[in-house]
Amino acid sequence: MLGAASDAITVERVFARLYEKDGLTVIAAAAVSGGAGGGSGTDPNGQQGGGAGFGANARPVGAYVIEDGSLTWRPAVDPNRIITMVGLIVIVWLLRRPRPTKARQTGARWPASATAT
């Protein structure tokens, strides 16, 4: 299983093959992570069992662009992450904002001397 895990997380998973066209070279990059686990045990009837598993995750993070001898980094924009972060910020703001006072809830008015006639 460890052999399969090491084969799954390689440099080819992190950096894509070069893309070259008209003097422009692009090397895409990704963040790759993985994990493995396993276990065994005996149930109350005395039967033994075991299992193992492995998972890997990859997401694009950007690309290196080589043009006219200069190297630049172009980060990838993930709209799902942006929407998630904006949503979390709105939820936190809604939970942390000041609550209306009791006078506002009961419909209390300004004193009569302060209102225009």
Side-chain angles (χ1 to χ4, degrees), residues 16-83:
R17 291 187 182 151
L18 296 176
Y19 173 78
E20 295 181 273
K21 187 173 182 180
D22 299 330
L24 179 74
T25 303
V26 178
I27 307 167
V32 179
S33 61
S40 63
T42 306
D43 70 6
N45 298 332
Q47 295 180 351
Q48 293 185 349
F54 172 78
N57 182 33
R59 65 178 182 82
V61 293
Y64 289 104
V65 178
I66 304 169
E67 187 174 20
D68 299 328
S70 81
L71 175 69
T72 57
W73 170 254
R74 303 288 173 102
V77 177
D78 185 358
N80 292 329
R81 279 190 156 200
I82 293 171
I83 291 169

Side-chain angles (χ1 to χ4, degrees), residues 1-2 4-9 13 31-38 52-58:
M1 185 164 101
L2 291 176
S6 65
D7 290 342
I9 301 176
R13 302 268 187 216
V32 179
S33 61
F54 172 78
N57 182 33

